[in-house]
Amino acid sequence: MTVGTTARRGIDALAGVLRLVGMLIVLVLVVHIVLTLLDANQANQLAMLIHQTADTFNLGLSNLFLPADPKLGVVLNYGTAALIWFAITTVVVRLVRRIP
C-alpha cells in the first residue's frame, strides 16, 4: 500500500464522517418539524431533546418567517435551516474529496 492510497482512504473517511454529521443535523431538524406538525407532547424527554438540538442548529433562522400559523413558521424556518445544512454538507464533502 502506498502513501497516496493511505491518504486517499483518510480523506474518504473524513468525507464520510462529515457527511454523516451533516445528515444527522438535517435529520434532527426534519424530525423537529414532524414532531411539531404531529403535536408531540413538549414535556416528553425525547421531544425536548430534539427541540433543543434543533434550536442549536437552526442557524438563527427560527424567526425568519412569522406566519400567523406557528406550525407553518416551524416548517418554513427549520425547513430552510435543513436545506442550508444539506447544501453546506454537500459542498464541504465535495471540497474534501477534491483534496489530492
Side-chain angles (χ1 to χ4, degrees):
M1 186 175 339
T2 65
V3 174
T5 304
T6 304
R8 174 56 35 206
R9 285 186 179 176
I11 289 169
D12 288 343
L14 175 61
V17 168
L18 292 172
R19 179 174 295 283
L20 177 65
V21 170
M23 291 301 110
L24 286 174
I25 292 170
V26 171
L27 178 65
V28 165
L29 293 167
V30 170
V31 169
H32 173 62
I33 292 169
V34 170
L35 290 177
T36 300
L37 291 175
L38 296 176
D39 291 320
N41 177 6
Q42 294 298 318
N44 178 278
Q45 292 295 321
L46 178 61
M48 286 177 18
L49 175 66
I50 296 292
H51 177 75
Q52 291 168 350
T53 307
D55 279 347
T56 300
F57 294 110
N58 72 9
L59 302 172
L61 301 176
S62 62
N63 62 358
L64 178 64
F65 300 103
L66 300 171
D69 182 8
K71 287 184 181 181
L72 179 59
V74 169
V75 170
L76 294 172
N77 295 323
Y78 287 85
T80 301
L83 289 173
I84 292 171
W85 273 108
F86 183 80
I88 289 170
T89 300
T90 301
V91 169
V92 168
V93 168
R94 285 185 183 175
L95 288 174
V96 167
R97 287 209 166 126
R98 289 182 130 184
I99 295 173

